[in-house]
Amino acid sequence: MTTTLETQEAKRSHSDTRPLLLEVQDLKVEFNIRGGVVKAVDGLTFDVKRGQTMGIIGESGCGKSVTARAILRMIPKPGKITGGRILYYRRPRHPKPGEEDKVEVIDVTKLDPDGEVIRQIRGGEIAMIFQEPMSSLTPVYTAGTHINEAVTLHRLLPIKKLGEQMAEHIMAYRHVTKEEARAIAVEMLRRVGIPKPEQRVDSYPHQLSGGQRQRVMIAIALSTEPAMLIADEPTTALDVSIEAQILDLMRDLQRTTNMAIMFITHNLGVIASMADEIVVMYMGKQVERAKVVDLFYNPKHPYTKALLQSVPRLGPKTGQRLASIEGMVPDPLNLPTGCVFHPRCPAFMAGKCDKIVPRWTQVGENHWVRCLLYEE
Amino acid sequence: MAVAAAPAVPAKRKELSQSYWSLVWYRFKKNKLGVLGGIVLIVLYISFALIPEFLAPYALENRSQFVEAPPTAIQLFDEQGRFQAPFVYGLERRVDVAKRLRTWVPDTDRKYPVRLFVQGDEYQLLGLIPMNIHLFGIDADPREARIFLLGADALGRDYLTRILYGGRLSLLIGLIGQFLTIVLGMTLGVISGYYGGPVDMFVQRFTEFLAAFPNIPLFMALSAAIPNYWSPIAVYFMLTIILAFLGWGGLARQVRGLVLSLREREYALAAKSFGASDLRIMFRHLLPGTTSHVIVIATLSIPGMILAETALSWLGLGLRPPLTSWGTLLQDAATIRAIRFTPWLLWVVPPILITIFAYNMLGDGLRDAMDPYSGRG
Amino acid sequence: MVNYIIRRIGYALILLVLVSFVSFAIIELPPGDYLTQKIEQLRARGDRSAEQQVERLRKRYGLDKPFLERYVNWATNFLRGDFGESFEYERPVSEILGARLGYTVILAIATTVFTWALAIPLGVYSAVKQYSLGDQIISVISFIGLGMPGFLLALIVLYFAVILFNMEVVGLFSPEYERAPWSLGKVLDLLNHLWLPALISAITGIGGLVRIMRGNLLDTLGQPFVEAARARGLKNRTVIWKHAVRIAINPLITILGSDVFPSIVVGSSLVAIVLNLPTIGPVFVDSLRKLDMYLAGTCIVFLTFMLLVGNLVADLLLAWVDPRIRLD
Ligand SMILES: Nc1ncnc2c1ncn2[C@@H]1O[C@H](COP(=O)(O)OP(=O)(O)OP(=O)(O)O)[C@@H](O)[C@H]1O
Ligand SMILES: [Mg+2]
């Protein structure tokens, strides 16, 4: 398994040389509901490097959240991963001496969703924050309790031993004590910009504002020093000025921790200021993937172009939501033939787009698109 | 513009409500348990409330010498093991020396064929048609032999007959009591929701007080207070009224809430702007909006009422002889002595339970059909 | 919070006075009183001295005084622990009820414990394994339990005990312990007799609570904070019990105080009548039948008192477990 991956990695001509963290290959997720099968995610392929920010954008219902949940194996009930792989390049969080650079490749789709391994990954190595800050904290526990829970579960402290030449050797690890967990909680709250963290650590969710709660969520996520943060529309429920603060905070924290971020949003303005690379999704399918600059200045797919045209001005402060594009979003149970976007596409080619399923085509350096216009 | 829209409003509502009820009916039909509950209730009410005189082999108070006779077994084979038309044996007094008890044993020398549609005690079907035909019975002089499918009580009366007749009072007290509850609860609820103000205050405080009271002890005390020289009919209606007290507060509160939300809807406002009177708005426009809720609440609270009657009468605080209800029958059945020596008197329990479960099933089915998103828990 | 508790206790006391007054008035309602009944009885027996005897009793019980005076007398004596005298038994009410009060409380608490201890795990299982065979079985059982009145169930149990095992499951003690002083053996004997009535009385409440718990937990399991807890890497069991159940259970505490406990108190009184337990249930019903008003009034006040205490305890419990209420 490992060998095929290494070759694939080698084949790529990326200018980005940071090491791989996550590789999603041809992911398929289906919901078997009463009226039929919803292909919520259908053939998604992308990768995330350490320290990189990957943006995912698309209309409501296109499968963004399902993708995020698939990575943590948290797809709700009738849903199932029916194809593809999610490879996680795992580095030991608490390496024994000499094993600091060992990389283990885990196919997340093969894991037991309630098992030990995925639980270590969840929260500890890949943390996630959600759209609803108002209700993502359990109402009967304080902010500190939430952070403690994550910290005691995932964080071990090194037991250092002073070696011969003043060099410290990490011999073993131990669990965090109660006092240390509390200190970490206070420190995390301070870092996410909550005033008077020594008091706030004992606040219950109903005593915090929406912006503060989302900061607490970020503090919980970062308290375990994860390698990657999945942020599923973290600012959608907040108003514009708080949104800007939270985004600034996330950018700052990323710079200091070298954490990768998978940033999911409706909001083109937000993503332009956050992401290095962007995946555009439509009805469960990836229609375009490019560097943020390429995507904004040289969009290829008619859907991406339509999206961009519906945003008058870029910048995080516009607060511009994804305006609706002409035509109806198709019924997910009854997708159009050929290219799923063809009924709404301004560049529709009769007899072609409604018959042939477009392939995933490379159109530039690290720029891919799924559209018949770009197939020879 | 407004004038043109006026006729459209009621027409559209009618259409809407028609399709709503047909949708409810469609969803209800798919709920097997609910439909089963409904069918069982129809059968129960027909046989116990409408025509018990015809189904029972004897008249309610027809006593006999067969004191505490056990249930009669219907025989299909004679002593030689030959198949015969259904018949029963006569009964013979026997003294059980070991238990020091007198019992009845079959007398195999006397056989009486079981017949359908036999002539017997006179009665008036539905209180109108004089008849003497009973669904089944035996071909014998009632002084000499009788059929007791569920045994006989301490006065030698057929217990099946008593259960059938007793069901009438018990089943109807639920319906009548619930009817009173609905009238009281809906009227006060609508008025209190529509007018607000002092009426609302009064209804609110009063229902709160009722809710805080330990209700069953209260009803026990109330029904104990019914003077014992009143006529049985008066006692029956008094008890019904007391039971109606149980539920109206809760119902009024629910209706009030619904009316509060309906009051501001377009059709109420539209009706108001056309100068409809308050009464008309309340009872033509607002009340129908609460129907589905009220039906569900009512269906689910009838069993509580039937049980309350049963329990009160069983405790000697409700109906009293000569009125016969399931509750008064329980009085004789629910003693250690009865369980030991005349256990068949407990046959009154299954009809009570069946009624309660049928109502609960029907109510659940109706609730799911009318409001599929509530109370699925 | 302290304010709130004081307010609640004040409210409960007012209600208690109101209830005692109303019940006193209700028992007073029917024309004639206990003694009128008594006269009739004595006359029927051909007792000549009936009138004088009754007149003497009437004086003794203060029945010749106006209603209000009698109520005030009774109520003020009540506070001193003197609940009046029973006509029927011609003994102080406190003497008649005596130990029965304790057993009533014990039975109600045991029933509540059973209700809670069975309903919560069943409801949780049902919700977590939604649509599984176990869930369906539990749903059917709780549906039956919900419709099954305790006193009829007690009757059915009694029937099977007598017919199948020739056992009379009545009373709270075996004959040898009935009059014995308290000892470990007696306590065990009590527990041995207590569990069945408690379980029977619990059945209706269990049926209702399981359904509510299942519904609440299903709602709660769909809440973002549950998903967030799972995304933190917690064990499934921790997510369910520490985060979901902890929240889903709060409304049940309210219901326990306002609906379930009252129906347990009343239901177990009826069960006690069937199973002939020495609680106040049988005495209460008997006193109502006989219009033995001080006895009946005391029983009602005591039952109401139990309900109010239950309600208060539930409120305090809720405030204790839910910071949203505690810190308001
Ligand atoms: N629990 C579920 N049961 C059935 N279908 C589901 C479920 N969750 C998601 N889906 C389906 O999966 C598809 C993608 O949903 P997803 O939540 O990923 O959308 P999204 O892109 O995150 O939208 P939004 O921007 O509104 O959050 C939708 O068509 C939806 O119908
Ligand atoms: Mg989403």
Side-chain angles (χ1 to χ4, degrees):
Chain A
M1 187 169 83
T2 324
T3 44
T4 56
L5 294 166
E6 274 159 10
T7 49
Q8 222 171 8
E9 193 182 353
K11 256 193 284 177
R12 276 190 198 177
S13 53
H14 289 170
S15 52
D16 197 337
T17 53
R18 289 177 284 192
L20 263 179
L21 176 68
L22 192 79
E23 205 173 354
V24 175
Q25 298 175 346
D26 199 29
L27 180 68
K28 291 192 170 75
V29 181
E30 292 178 355
F31 284 89
N32 214 330
I33 57 174
R34 209 175 297 159
V37 175
V38 176
K39 296 187 172 180
V41 175
D42 189 9
L44 199 59
T45 301
F46 63 88
D47 52 49
V48 181
K49 307 207 170 48
R50 291 192 178 266
Q52 183 195 28
T53 301
M54 165 63 71
I56 296 188
I57 192 164
E59 282 169 304
S60 186
C62 70
K64 306 182 295 290
S65 298
V66 170
T67 307
R69 282 166 178 70
I71 294 171
L72 290 179
R73 296 300 306 278
M74 286 177 43
I75 295 182
K77 248 296 157 64
K80 255 205 196 102
I81 295 178
T82 52
R85 299 199 288 185
I86 299 171
L87 301 171
Y88 168 52
Y89 292 75
R90 188 189 211 186
R91 285 205 191 143
R93 276 171 60 76
H94 306 292
K96 299 199 182 77
E99 290 186 346
E100 286 83 359
D101 293 329
K102 205 180 113 192
V103 175
E104 179 192 5
V105 184
I106 294 179
D107 184 352
V108 173
T109 62
K110 299 283 191 299
L111 295 176
D112 167 11
D114 291 324
E116 177 79 31
V117 180
I118 191 71
R119 279 192 280 115
Q120 286 171 358
I121 296 174
R122 274 183 210 150
E125 298 164 45
I126 302 178
M128 183 151 164
I129 54 180
F130 296 91
Q131 185 169 346
E132 305 92 348
M134 301 307 277
S135 46
S136 289
L137 292 164
T138 311
V140 295
Y141 299 121
T142 60
T145 311
H146 281 88
I147 300 178
N148 283 1
E149 199 176 58
V151 168
T152 44
L153 196 64
H154 295 293
R155 229 159 102 168
L156 299 178
L157 292 180
I159 301 172
K160 289 177 183 163
K161 197 181 168 199
L162 216 50
E164 273 99 76
Q165 245 82 60
M166 310 223 324
E168 287 180 333
H169 293 286
I170 295 173
M171 302 304 294
Y173 294 88
R174 62 176 175 80
H175 283 285
V176 179
T177 64
K178 252 192 176 156
E179 294 73 40
E180 285 166 340
R182 189 181 166 85
I184 293 175
V186 172
E187 174 56 23
M188 287 315 300
L189 291 181
R190 190 192 319 283
R191 275 177 70 189
V192 296
I194 287 185
K196 292 198 207 144
E198 299 82 4
Q199 287 160 34
R200 280 310 185 188
V201 75
D202 292 322
S203 291
Y204 287 95
H206 72 276
Q207 298 168 317
L208 301 168
S209 71
Q212 283 174 328
R213 286 188 217 179
Q214 193 62 300
R215 284 170 196 265
V216 171
M217 290 307 295
I218 295 174
I220 297 169
L222 300 188
S223 64
T224 60
E225 302 177 341
M228 173 166 150
L229 176 69
I230 301 177
D232 187 355
E233 312 195 32
T235 56
T236 307
L238 304 176
D239 58 44
V240 182
S241 59
I242 297 180
E243 174 176 55
Q245 291 173 16
I246 297 275
L247 294 178
D248 281 343
L249 171 69
M250 288 179 67
R251 264 191 300 265
D252 276 357
L253 291 169
Q254 185 185 23
R255 215 171 296 135
T256 54
T257 58
N258 194 36
M259 170 182 72
I261 296 181
M262 187 169 140
F263 199 94
I264 295 174
T265 181
H266 278 115
N267 191 324
L268 270 172
V270 167
I271 208 147
S273 70
M274 292 291 296
D276 305 325
E277 209 173 307
I278 294 179
V279 171
V280 183
M281 287 181 72
Y282 181 75
M283 296 311 293
K285 293 197 170 59
Q286 190 174 23
V287 293
E288 187 162 0
R289 191 183 79 209
K291 286 256 151 99
V292 67
V293 185
D294 293 339
L295 195 89
F296 277 91
Y297 293 102
N298 190 14
K300 298 288 187 202
H301 200 283
Y303 177 66
T304 314
K305 289 179 187 165
L307 280 183
L308 289 170
Q309 269 157 20
S310 63
V311 180
R313 199 160 52 84
L314 292 182
K317 300 260 149 48
T318 57
Q320 181 70 41
R321 298 281 183 266
L322 215 55
S324 56
I325 305 169
E326 233 174 84
M328 293 260 288
V329 179
D331 173 9
L333 282 172
N334 205 353
L335 290 177
T337 53
C339 169
V340 282
F341 187 59
H342 84 254
R344 299 167 77 187
C345 185
F348 170 60
M349 299 175 284
K352 223 176 145 192
C353 292
D354 50 352
K355 298 258 158 54
I356 308 164
V357 179
R359 281 201 305 266
W360 193 224
T361 320
Q362 188 160 20
V363 288
E365 195 211 342
N366 220 5
H367 194 161
W368 298 68
V369 68
R370 192 192 290 277
C371 177
L372 290 172
L373 288 173
Y374 305 96
E375 287 183 27
E376 52 288 350
Chain B
M1 188 59 216
V3 178
V9 174
K12 199 171 165 206
R13 268 193 65 217
K14 195 164 209 170
E15 197 179 281
L16 246 174
S17 69
Q18 253 173 18
S19 65
Y20 171 71
W21 289 110
S22 59
L23 187 67
V24 166
W25 178 236
Y26 170 77
R27 282 197 299 241
F28 177 68
K29 274 194 299 190
K30 290 208 299 189
N31 185 325
K32 297 212 178 55
L33 279 181
V35 173
L36 179 67
I39 293 173
V40 168
L41 282 175
I42 291 173
V43 171
L44 278 173
Y45 271 87
I46 290 180
S47 44
F48 286 74
L50 236 52
I51 53 164
E53 293 93 344
F54 169 67
L55 298 178
Y58 301 101
L60 178 62
E61 294 298 343
N62 192 341
R63 302 182 185 188
S64 72
Q65 52 161 323
F66 305 105
V67 170
E68 298 187 342
T72 319
I74 294 185
Q75 310 288 337
L76 287 173
F77 301 92
D78 62 15
E79 304 89 274
Q80 279 80 43
R82 280 174 312 212
F83 181 78
Q84 293 210 331
F87 67 94
V88 301
Y89 290 121
L91 289 176
E92 199 181 0
R93 204 72 164 136
R94 185 66 65 72
V95 178
D96 186 332
V97 187
K99 282 194 193 165
R100 300 160 99 237
L101 191 75
R102 298 202 296 168
T103 57
W104 296 92
V105 291
D107 173 4
T108 48
D109 293 341
R110 291 182 291 149
K111 294 184 199 167
Y112 305 97
V114 179
R115 296 267 154 79
L116 290 178
F117 305 112
V118 294
Q119 300 204 342
D121 296 328
E122 305 267 338
Y123 62 90
Q124 292 187 323
L125 192 66
L126 307 175
L128 297 172
I129 313 158
M131 273 175 71
N132 64 358
I133 308 283
H134 295 257
L135 177 65
F136 71 96
I138 54 170
D139 230 355
D141 181 343
R143 273 163 305 188
E144 183 188 316
R146 293 197 180 198
I147 178 167
F148 298 119
L149 283 187
L150 300 181
D153 70 3
L155 295 175
R157 295 172 294 196
D158 176 36
Y159 203 57
L160 172 66
T161 303
R162 298 190 62 72
I163 292 177
L164 281 165
Y165 278 77
R168 174 178 283 161
L169 291 189
S170 293
L171 289 172
L172 288 184
I173 211 164
L175 276 192
I176 301 172
Q178 194 57 50
F179 177 75
L180 290 179
T181 306
I182 291 176
V183 170
L184 214 62
M186 278 183 101
T187 312
L188 287 173
V190 166
I191 292 175
S192 117
Y194 186 76
Y195 284 117
V199 186
D200 190 25
M201 266 294 283
F202 172 74
V203 173
Q204 292 263 74
R205 290 292 93 73
F206 195 75
T207 50
E208 260 171 40
F209 176 68
L210 271 188
F213 222 102
N215 53 13
I216 307 264
L218 172 66
F219 295 112
M220 286 183 181
L222 276 174
S223 52
I226 302 177
N228 48 11
Y229 55 79
W230 280 18
S231 75
I233 295 296
V235 170
Y236 184 73
F237 278 104
M238 198 58 218
L239 191 67
T240 317
I241 290 170
I242 291 174
L243 290 181
F245 233 67
L246 256 170
W248 79 267
L251 193 76
R253 224 180 314 182
Q254 299 236 8
V255 170
R256 174 180 173 274
L258 285 170
V259 166
L260 279 181
S261 70
L262 287 175
R263 191 170 65 169
E264 306 304 325
R265 295 262 178 90
E266 316 112 65
Y267 54 79
L269 292 177
K272 188 147 203 170
S273 68
F274 285 107
S277 72
D278 282 351
L279 266 183
R280 194 179 156 75
I281 294 174
M282 275 192 281
F283 290 94
R284 285 269 325 146
H285 298 271
L286 295 179
L287 209 61
T290 66
T291 323
S292 60
H293 274 256
V294 170
I295 290 176
V296 171
I297 298 171
T299 315
L300 286 172
S301 46
I302 290 177
M305 249 176 209
I306 293 179
L307 268 181
E309 181 278 323
T310 310
L312 288 177
S313 305
W314 160 59
L315 296 172
L317 298 172
L319 304 181
R320 19 194 177 225
L323 289 184
T324 304
S325 75
W326 288 340
T328 60
L329 292 179
L330 259 184
Q331 265 182 19
D332 297 332
T335 64
I336 283 279
R337 191 200 160 270
I339 290 174
R340 209 168 259 290
F341 301 116
T342 53
W344 54 87
L345 295 186
L346 283 178
W347 275 113
V348 67
V349 174
I352 301 175
L353 292 181
I354 290 172
T355 307
I356 291 162
F357 288 128
Y359 265 117
N360 282 347
M361 276 156 36
L362 177 69
D364 263 20
L366 287 176
R367 179 177 51 205
D368 291 352
M370 295 197 189
D371 191 2
Y373 304 108
S374 84
R376 265 271 64 179
Chain C
M1 191 60 210
V2 176
N3 259 342
Y4 171 77
I5 296 172
I6 290 173
R7 207 152 11 99
R8 283 301 316 259
I9 292 178
Y11 178 71
L13 286 178
I14 292 173
L15 207 71
L16 205 58
V17 172
L18 225 58
V19 165
S20 70
F21 183 76
V22 170
S23 13
F24 209 76
I26 290 174
I27 299 165
E28 185 83 349
L29 264 184
D33 49 38
Y34 173 77
L35 293 176
T36 340
Q37 279 188 353
K38 186 109 183 175
I39 292 181
E40 275 163 31
Q41 274 174 23
L42 291 176
R43 274 221 191 93
R45 262 194 264 139
D47 197 326
R48 289 293 154 93
S49 61
E51 313 286 296
Q52 294 134 8
Q53 215 176 321
V54 160
E55 218 31 63
R56 193 174 45 81
L57 289 172
R58 178 156 285 157
K59 276 247 160 56
R60 177 166 160 204
Y61 297 132
L63 286 178
D64 49 351
K65 305 229 173 68
F67 165 72
L68 217 56
E69 193 182 330
R70 249 179 306 142
Y71 172 73
V72 172
N73 266 341
W74 177 65
T76 43
N77 285 339
F78 206 101
L79 297 178
R80 282 188 244 119
D82 173 8
F83 306 148
E85 203 161 332
S86 156
F87 307 151
E88 173 75 7
Y89 300 92
E90 305 195 3
R91 279 192 321 182
V93 169
S94 53
E95 207 173 284
I96 296 164
L97 294 182
R100 285 180 181 261
L101 296 181
Y103 295 132
T104 308
V105 173
I106 292 175
L107 180 61
I109 291 177
T111 305
T112 310
V113 169
F114 264 119
T115 308
W116 199 254
L118 287 171
I120 301 300
L122 288 178
V124 170
Y125 179 89
S126 223
V128 172
K129 300 263 160 81
Q130 198 189 3
Y131 302 133
S132 69
L133 184 66
D135 175 29
Q136 281 163 6
I137 292 173
I138 291 172
S139 295
V140 170
I141 292 177
S142 58
F143 184 84
I144 293 175
L146 187 64
M148 180 68 82
F151 72 98
L152 288 184
L153 184 62
L155 204 53
I156 295 169
V157 170
L158 197 58
Y159 171 78
F160 282 108
V162 168
I163 296 294
L164 295 182
F165 307 108
N166 196 21
M167 243 166 44
E168 291 180 5
V169 283
V170 296
L172 274 183
F173 295 101
S174 315
E176 65 267 31
Y177 283 113
E178 191 98 43
R179 306 210 169 271
W182 281 102
S183 63
L184 183 66
K186 186 165 180 176
V187 172
L188 290 180
D189 187 57
L190 173 65
L191 290 180
N192 195 24
H193 281 78
L194 191 65
W195 69 268
L196 188 63
L199 192 60
I200 291 172
S201 315
I203 205 82
T204 315
I206 292 176
L209 279 188
V210 166
R211 281 155 69 101
I212 298 171
M213 184 68 211
R214 178 178 184 272
N216 279 356
L217 187 56
L218 281 176
D219 285 349
T220 311
L221 283 173
Q223 293 280 317
F225 62 79
V226 172
E227 192 174 38
R230 184 162 283 136
R232 245 172 273 145
L234 300 177
K235 282 198 184 110
N236 215 0
R237 184 193 292 226
T238 316
V239 172
I240 288 168
W241 286 97
K242 189 176 165 196
H243 291 269
V245 173
R246 184 73 168 67
I247 299 301
I249 220 166
N250 287 353
L252 268 80
I253 296 176
T254 314
I255 295 171
L256 189 77
S258 67
D259 296 326
V260 180
F261 188 66
S263 79
I264 282 176
V265 169
V266 173
S268 62
S269 303
L270 298 186
V271 169
I273 293 170
V274 176
L275 298 182
N276 197 16
L277 308 181
T279 70
I280 66 174
V283 172
F284 174 50
V285 169
D286 206 47
S287 65
L288 281 179
R289 270 197 299 247
K290 305 262 170 61
L291 301 178
D292 193 347
M293 57 189 306
Y294 296 125
L295 187 53
T298 308
C299 288
I300 292 196
V301 169
F302 186 72
L303 289 175
T304 312
F305 182 71
M306 270 177 82
L307 301 195
L308 292 174
V309 170
N311 218 325
L312 195 65
V313 168
D315 277 356
L316 293 180
L317 200 64
L318 190 65
W320 182 54
V321 300
D322 192 338
R324 287 168 295 184
I325 294 170
R326 188 184 343 135
L327 301 174
D328 250 11

